[in-house]
Amino acid sequence: MDLPSRIVITEEGPREGFQIEPGPITTADKIALIDALSVTGLSQIQVASFVNPKHVPGWADAELVVAGFAPRVGVSYTALWFNDSGLQRALAFRGKLTLAGFISLSASEPFALRNLNRDRAGQIEAMQNYARLHWQAGVPIAKIIVMAAFGCNFGGDVPAAKVVETVSDGLSIAREAGIEVREVSLADSMGWATPRRVAAAVGAVRDRWEDLRIALHLHDTRGQGIACAYEGLRLGVTAFDAAVAGLGGCPFAGQPGAPGNIATEELALLCEEMGIATGLDIEALIEAGRLAERIVGRRLPSAALRSGTLASLRRKVGP
Amino acid sequence: MDLPSRIVITEEGPREGFQIEPGPITTADKIALIDALSVTGLSQIQVASFVNPKHVPGWADAELVVAGFAPRVGVSYTALWFNDSGLQRALAFRGKLTLAGFISLSASEPFALRNLNRDRAGQIEAMQNYARLHWQAGVPIAKIIVMAAFGCNFGGDVPAAKVVETVSDGLSIAREAGIEVREVSLADSMGWATPRRVAAAVGAVRDRWEDLRIALHLHDTRGQGIACAYEGLRLGVTAFDAAVAGLGGCPFAGQPGAPGNIATEELALLCEEMGIATGLDIEALIEAGRLAERIVGRRLPSAALRSGTLASLRRKVGP
């Protein structure tokens, strides 16, 4: 097997989780989870969403959360925003946050129409404005996010050619705005990915853009997330998003109770047990996951929270 | 990818699930689940365990359950037993049950010592007696089950060489009893498997016995089950055990609340979405899984119960 020697996992639990939980979750609890995650070895944590509180009430306290957590040296804290108002709010935390935007485009037009009221041209126009804003503010664009990269509850299957077209749109938008983008994230928030679709999409993007770094943002909606992540590892993908304890879920998928992102500690376990370094302290992650469970007040999907690490069992067994 | 065109999934939910659930679960409920599973396209269902009710009170009603379900043509209904008393109880259902024994050997001696009070020699002796009993009764041995084939909570990592040694023990036992065995099941009831360990164990057994059919019995204890199943598919494994809704768990693992077997409907989904035939009606399986949840009265691990199939979404989307 041609597995990578090291990967980077971006923790999205706080941002993904607190946007979808019915809550209300206190600002102090959000800060406590971020602080717990900061000591797990994570190098990237997405901590907040600067979105319209009318649409996402769970993030009405984004400023308080970002102001409140204790940043740790060596960790990049990021946030999400979709427009100028969000960008301006984030700019107030320049320094504490690693500011970078994301050009988000849906590979499924029905998804974009339904949730953003935008067709392909409308998506492109919105992202052109978004990119321009970032250029003006001197804020980089970290990556192109291809939403619904594997399939869509409202549009059905998404062929790899559509993913390539969407990446191409994103790269054009960035280029026209004078911004360099080196990474594309293939996102499966509705849980359509299988290992075969991961291989097809990753292969098609690589065939076209040899130098573009590919990241996978996988959900475990139908229990396939970790198999898809493993296929990504086999293909040499080295960047993954995940959420501690499997926090999150897709607010647009219309499937309440379905799991969210793949669980950070389970992906880390898969990697560490196969000799792929993650830099993560899996036991500290599990502790953070248990804290997340106490905070949201319900059982979260991660199996590893129940069973713990193999390393801890090896210690009990002894040499 | 070199995936098989078809696999066979043996459903172990009733047997695995009802042995570990605190219950009590009524006989009628057990029968209802078996009957629901019978119409899902499964060709193999393990319906009961003829074990000592003092040790496994959940199966005190094994006779009533086996007498009560409505067998469907084309489905093999199997049961489990460990000694003569169990075999005799099963023999009363010759005809309704497809009777076959399993030579079970733990690849981890600490596991066998702790749970069966037997060292390697003791295990071999017990299984020699077991095989002799089956020869006398004219009941075949369906397979050798290697317990703790990937690792053990009490013994730590299990190298592939130990798996080979255990299979070799099992084949010798069968041969000495004049019984032919064509299949070996590598079982991971404590959740130590990773794709890499699956590849190592399957590879080692194949290298030694080219014609032996290999089956995988995977648990999702740490969320790695479906990735391990996918690795099995990649290696051309065509026989898997699974449990509807992810019923079950390892009674000896000492990890209450950890998931049990991989969920039948999630494995079926993985296969069907990659073009591997299973013969299963995944939506009927999900319905049976929801019935299992109502019966056990708690949320079972399967994500697919929450999110449903992609086929159902495709139907909504239309052509």
Side-chain angles (χ1 to χ4, degrees):
Chain A
M1 272 188 269
D2 187 25
L3 300 172
S5 60
R6 165 169 285 276
I7 66 161
V8 174
I9 302 178
T10 297
E11 171 62 43
E12 300 209 336
R15 199 267 307 161
E16 285 250 4
F18 299 145
Q19 97 190 353
I20 199 169
E21 289 296 326
I25 291 163
T26 68
T27 304
D29 276 344
K30 293 177 186 174
I31 291 168
L33 181 62
I34 294 164
D35 288 344
L37 289 166
S38 287
V39 296
T40 60
L42 284 161
S43 58
Q44 309 255 8
I45 307 176
Q46 198 171 59
V47 294
S49 206
F50 289 107
V51 281
N52 189 331
K54 278 183 210 151
H55 299 146
V56 186
W59 273 119
D61 60 351
E63 274 82 358
L64 293 172
V65 171
V66 176
F69 76 82
R72 197 178 159 90
V73 174
V75 184
S76 285
Y77 299 90
T78 62
L80 195 65
W81 55 84
F82 297 103
N83 53 27
D84 187 38
S85 156
L87 172 60
Q88 296 308 321
R89 290 166 66 193
L91 281 168
F93 295 96
R94 204 192 272 267
K96 188 164 188 182
L97 294 180
T98 301
L99 295 185
F102 308 102
I103 294 179
S104 299
L105 295 165
S106 173
S108 162
E109 202 163 4
F111 182 85
L113 280 168
R114 187 184 171 106
N115 298 309
L116 306 166
N117 199 25
R118 288 174 189 151
D119 61 8
R120 181 179 171 197
Q123 283 199 87
I124 290 174
E125 194 191 331
M127 285 299 130
Q128 285 170 332
N129 293 335
Y130 180 93
R132 209 171 298 122
L133 274 176
H134 285 72
W135 182 84
Q136 286 161 355
V139 173
I141 300 286
K143 56 187 166 188
I144 294 159
I145 297 175
V146 180
M147 296 181 285
F150 305 96
C152 170
N153 290 8
F154 315 105
D157 294 288
V158 169
K162 195 78 199 165
V163 173
V164 167
E165 183 185 300
T166 310
V167 174
S168 179
D169 285 348
L171 290 171
S172 297
I173 292 165
R175 196 168 41 243
E176 283 163 23
I179 292 176
E180 191 185 29
V181 176
R182 294 164 171 274
E183 181 170 323
V184 59
S185 174
L186 306 181
D188 184 39
S189 304
M190 290 175 283
W192 282 67
T194 62
R196 185 162 263 183
R197 282 187 202 117
V198 167
V202 168
V205 172
R206 271 204 188 138
D207 282 351
R208 178 79 178 269
W209 298 280
E210 209 181 319
D211 295 333
L212 208 50
R213 187 186 185 214
I214 298 177
L216 290 171
H217 177 97
L218 299 165
H219 280 232
D220 196 36
T221 319
R222 287 174 183 79
Q224 313 294 319
I226 200 82
C228 294
Y230 169 55
E231 180 65 15
L233 293 171
R234 288 188 61 248
L235 297 167
V237 171
T238 57
F240 293 83
D241 297 338
V244 71
L247 269 169
C250 180
F252 306 121
Q255 287 160 333
N261 286 47
I262 55 172
T264 312
E265 62 280 11
E266 292 184 350
L267 176 57
L269 226 154
L270 174 69
C271 290
E272 298 281 344
E273 289 288 332
M274 297 200 303
I276 301 168
T278 62
L280 297 175
D281 176 340
I282 303 177
E283 279 154 43
L285 274 171
I286 288 176
E287 280 313 307
R290 289 178 181 146
L291 172 63
E293 275 198 330
R294 291 196 295 277
I295 289 172
V296 303
R298 65 177 180 95
R299 192 178 158 115
L300 289 169
S302 166
L305 295 196
R306 250 52 66 189
S307 52
T309 63
L310 294 175
S312 69
L313 292 168
R314 285 190 192 101
R315 280 198 303 274
K316 273 191 215 162
V317 170
Chain B
M1 270 186 266
D2 187 27
L3 300 173
S5 60
R6 164 170 286 277
I7 66 161
V8 173
I9 303 179
T10 297
E11 171 62 44
E12 301 209 335
R15 199 268 306 162
E16 284 250 3
F18 299 145
Q19 99 190 351
I20 199 170
E21 289 295 326
I25 290 163
T26 68
T27 304
D29 276 344
K30 293 178 186 174
I31 292 169
L33 181 62
I34 295 164
D35 287 345
L37 289 166
S38 286
V39 297
T40 61
L42 284 162
S43 59
Q44 307 256 9
I45 307 177
Q46 198 170 62
V47 294
S49 206
F50 290 106
V51 282
N52 188 334
K54 278 184 211 151
H55 299 146
V56 187
W59 272 118
D61 60 352
E63 274 82 358
L64 293 171
V65 171
V66 176
F69 76 83
R72 198 179 160 88
V73 175
V75 184
S76 286
Y77 299 91
T78 62
L80 195 66
W81 55 85
F82 296 103
N83 54 26
D84 187 39
S85 156
L87 172 60
Q88 296 307 321
R89 290 167 66 194
L91 279 169
F93 295 97
R94 203 193 272 266
K96 189 165 187 178
L97 293 179
T98 301
L99 294 186
F102 307 102
I103 293 178
S104 299
L105 295 165
S106 173
S108 161
E109 202 163 6
F111 182 85
L113 279 169
R114 189 185 170 103
N115 297 308
L116 306 167
N117 197 26
R118 289 175 190 151
D119 60 9
R120 183 181 170 195
Q123 284 200 87
I124 290 174
E125 194 191 332
M127 285 299 130
Q128 284 169 332
N129 294 335
Y130 180 92
R132 210 171 298 124
L133 275 176
H134 284 71
W135 183 84
Q136 286 161 355
V139 172
I141 300 286
K143 55 187 168 190
I144 293 159
I145 297 176
V146 180
M147 296 180 288
F150 305 97
C152 170
N153 291 6
F154 315 104
D157 294 288
V158 169
K162 195 78 199 164
V163 173
V164 168
E165 182 185 300
T166 309
V167 174
S168 180
D169 285 347
L171 289 171
S172 299
I173 293 165
R175 198 169 37 243
E176 283 163 23
I179 292 175
E180 191 186 29
V181 176
R182 294 165 171 275
E183 182 169 325
V184 59
S185 173
L186 306 180
D188 184 39
S189 303
M190 290 175 284
W192 282 67
T194 62
R196 183 162 266 182
R197 280 184 205 122
V198 168
V202 168
V205 172
R206 272 206 187 135
D207 282 351
R208 178 79 177 269
W209 298 282
E210 209 180 320
D211 295 332
L212 210 49
R213 188 186 186 214
I214 297 177
L216 290 171
H217 177 98
L218 300 165
H219 280 231
D220 197 35
T221 319
R222 288 173 183 80
Q224 313 294 320
I226 200 81
C228 294
Y230 169 55
E231 180 65 13
L233 293 170
R234 287 189 61 250
L235 298 167
V237 171
T238 57
F240 293 84
D241 296 338
V244 71
L247 269 169
C250 180
F252 305 121
Q255 287 159 333
N261 285 50
I262 55 172
T264 313
E265 62 280 12
E266 292 185 351
L267 176 58
L269 226 156
L270 174 69
C271 290
E272 298 280 344
E273 290 288 332
M274 296 201 301
I276 301 169
T278 62
L280 297 175
D281 175 342
I282 303 177
E283 279 154 43
L285 274 171
I286 288 176
E287 280 313 307
R290 289 177 181 146
L291 172 62
E293 275 197 332
R294 290 196 295 277
I295 289 173
V296 302
R298 65 178 180 93
R299 193 178 157 118
L300 289 169
S302 166
L305 296 196
R306 250 50 68 189
S307 51
T309 64
L310 295 175
S312 69
L313 293 167
R314 285 191 191 100
R315 280 198 302 277
K316 274 192 215 160
V317 170

